[in-house]
Amino acid sequence: MDLATERRDGILTFVMRGRLDGYGAGELSDAVQASLQDDDRSVVFDLAGVSYLSSAGIRVLLAVKKRLKERSGVLALAGVQEYPKSVLDMAGVTPVFSLYPTVGEAVLACRKPQDSLSVINELARTPFTRGGVAYTIEPTSARSASLRVTGSLDKMLRARLTEGDIRAIPFSALHYSLGIGALGEGVAETLPLLGEMITLHGSVVWLPTDGNATPDFFTPVKDTGELSIYSGYNVALDGPFHEIVTIDAGDEGSIMLSEVYRTIFAVAREQRRDFAGIIALAMWAVVDGVCSLGVKRSPIAASSPANGLPINAEENAEDWLEENDEPRYHGDTMVSFGFGIDYSACSDERLSALTDQNRPKTEQLQLHNHGVIFRGVPWDAALDLTRQIERIVSEGEFVDMRHLKESTRVRRAKVGVAYISEIAVEE
């Protein structure tokens, strides 16, 4: 069977020619698995060129129908020929499917549920558009929020961490956080493995610096107090999200992480009198390319650079940092946490606990974000952000975890925004 995949008006469409028999059914199943992305709600199967259908093919159709039903989406069959139609009738499954004479009609039918959802969202919260990307902002809390910093950023960047600098932090103390850390029996075991780390609702994901470049994770059912997260540097959010921002770049578009921050900063400067130049973001997104930069060696004193410069200095970066500018993961789900600083609106003297003092002085923004990649999580902007993040980290198909570069791109996102009013430093 010949099989081609395309998108028509944003709807994933499979064009088939030949026999949808046992072999063809396997090819179609593999193609769906490879092409169905987490923000696809509906699918069209163009069967105008399919002359034969068997039970094997029907099973694939039913499986895809079930997956799309979970997304409140539509599976549309277009141009079904006489023999395959008779097979559907004899199998008693014709009423299960939506049949259309042409692909155009099928695509139009698939778009109607999506258009209806867009109208509902617009009625609930009037969006604004910037750079072709739609944003909606929903206020959620007026209570204050702060960042709690544990450890020394300068020691971490200069690879001067010792056993005395490592803190054992209970799981329950880190709701949303990021930094450098590890899991293990104790400080001595974890010290040489410290790597990029993120916590989300008690789940911890980290990238051990053991040379394997493979992340590890642990999601406790409850915090018994018997295990701790060991960290040399950690930034945690204390307090609520003040707004929930929904972002949609459209079916063919995407937006860089840096532009997400710039837009939120711009709105805050215009509308929030209490804006102090620092925000923390928790994000659930469909990504369109993840770029990353992170430590590949534990930043401990025993391995500090002989030249005395920070590990991110130009002379040391190749030896200490793993950088990937080739975008990875398109159409997968990402859950992330991080913070950003807008220097045009911030003069807090405690910023040294958060910022890299070696950054170019011409930069207006400084961002620090970690993201965890999952697969097979249907996108639905109507879902509650916090509950969805909890569900994803406990039930999602885990793929990867990375320190995100600003060039990471997202298609759609739901973002919890906390406007930071205080920085608490615990060295």
Side-chain angles (χ1 to χ4, degrees), residues 205-269:
V205 188
W206 64 295
L207 195 59
T209 49
D210 56 5
N212 295 319
T214 302
D216 201 3
F217 65 97
F218 179 57
T219 301
V221 176
K222 63 178 180 179
D223 183 9
T224 64
E226 297 177 3
L227 298 178
S228 295
I229 298 167
Y230 293 94
S231 178
Y233 177 72
N234 183 266
V235 180
L237 174 64
D238 288 334
F241 298 119
H242 300 111
E243 296 170 346
I244 301 296
V245 179
T246 304
I247 302 170
D248 195 329
D251 294 328
E252 305 298 330
S254 63
I255 180 174
M256 286 199 303
L257 182 62
S258 58
E259 190 59 30
V260 171
Y261 272 93
R262 290 183 191 281
T263 300
I264 295 174
F265 280 136
V267 173
R269 286 195 296 268

Side-chain angles (χ1 to χ4, degrees), residues 393-411:
V393 298
S394 61
E395 302 174 12
E397 179 188 344
F398 174 78
V399 177
D400 201 357
M401 174 266 177
R402 297 290 152 176
H403 182 142
L404 305 177
K405 295 190 72 171
E406 299 177 11
S407 51
T408 292
R409 304 188 72 92
V410 300
R411 297 178 187 170

Side-chain angles (χ1 to χ4, degrees), residues 157-160 297-313 315-317 319-320:
L157 289 176
R158 293 184 177 275
R160 294 177 179 173
R297 300 172 60 184
S298 182
I300 56 178
S303 304
S304 60
N307 58 20
L309 297 174
I311 61 176
N312 59 349
E315 296 87 339
N316 297 328
D319 189 37
W320 279 88

Side-chain angles (χ1 to χ4, degrees), residues 43-223:
V43 168
V44 170
F45 283 165
D46 180 358
L47 301 178
V50 173
S51 58
Y52 176 87
L53 176 66
S54 69
S55 292
I58 292 176
R59 280 197 293 269
V60 175
L61 300 183
L62 290 172
V64 175
K65 172 76 175 179
K66 181 180 179 181
R67 290 182 67 178
L68 296 176
K69 184 178 180 181
E70 295 171 351
R71 306 179 179 207
S72 300
V74 175
L75 172 60
L77 307 183
V80 181
Q81 293 190 30
E82 183 176 346
Y83 182 85
K85 175 62 164 57
S86 298
V87 172
L88 293 175
D89 291 340
M90 291 182 65
V93 296
T94 302
V96 173
F97 299 108
S98 301
L99 276 62
Y100 298 91
T102 66
V103 172
E105 292 172 279
V107 168
L108 182 62
C110 288
R111 288 206 59 84
K112 285 182 178 179
Q114 299 182 182
D115 294 340
S116 298
L117 284 174
S118 297
V119 171
I120 292 172
N121 287 336
E122 288 184 19
L123 290 174
R125 301 178 298 276
T126 302
F128 67 91
T129 302
R130 175 172 171 157
V133 178
Y135 297 81
T136 60
I137 300 178
E138 178 184 6
T140 56
S141 177
R143 293 188 295 114
S144 63
S146 63
L147 290 178
R148 174 168 33 95
V149 182
T150 303
S152 168
L153 177 62
D154 184 66
K155 283 188 176 181
M156 189 274 287
L157 289 176
R158 293 184 177 275
R160 294 177 179 173
L161 295 177
T162 65
E163 288 193 11
D165 298 311
I166 308 304
R167 300 290 180 266
I169 308 175
F171 281 83
S172 57
L174 298 178
H175 203 52
Y176 289 104
S177 81
L178 55 73
I180 296 291
L183 294 179
E185 187 175 0
V187 174
E189 179 185 347
T190 56
L191 190 65
L193 298 175
L194 297 174
E196 309 287 353
M197 181 190 73
I198 181 174
T199 65
L200 301 160
H201 283 283
S203 296
V204 59
V205 188
W206 64 295
L207 195 59
T209 49
D210 56 5
N212 295 319
T214 302
D216 201 3
F217 65 97
F218 179 57
T219 301
V221 176
K222 63 178 180 179
D223 183 9

